[in-house]
Amino acid sequence: GRYEDAAQEYARAVALVPDNARGRAVLAVPWMYLGRYEQAIAGLQESVAMKPTRRLAAKVLEKPPK
């Protein structure tokens, strides 16, 4: 589906620019829609670790999906 396609494309972008905190946060979105919560949370954690000012990512981590 489209979320799987989006996840693949964003993962490819993150692989090209691994130090892009925003890319990791954006990749978490399709993962959440696909139910890949552990991957989404890990991506958000990496994003916040790289750039602590990623407020939205930090907020989602405060109350992650189940």
Side-chain angles (χ1 to χ4, degrees):
R2 304 219 27 114
Y3 291 120
E4 187 65 43
D5 293 343
Q8 289 175 3
E9 291 301 317
Y10 285 127
R12 199 173 352 262
V14 167
L16 290 172
V17 187
D19 61 340
N20 184 330
R22 184 172 190 222
R24 292 176 185 276
V26 171
L27 176 56
V29 175
W31 279 343
M32 282 191 266
Y33 279 105
L34 291 167
R36 297 181 187 171
Y37 301 121
E38 289 180 15
Q39 287 176 285
I41 290 168
L44 291 171
Q45 288 171 332
E46 291 169 359
S47 176
V48 171
M50 296 169 89
K51 189 171 182 182
T53 57
R54 300 279 329 149
R55 292 178 295 196
L56 182 57
K59 187 172 183 106
V60 171
L61 287 170
E62 290 173 10
K63 191 174 182 182
K66 297 179 181 184

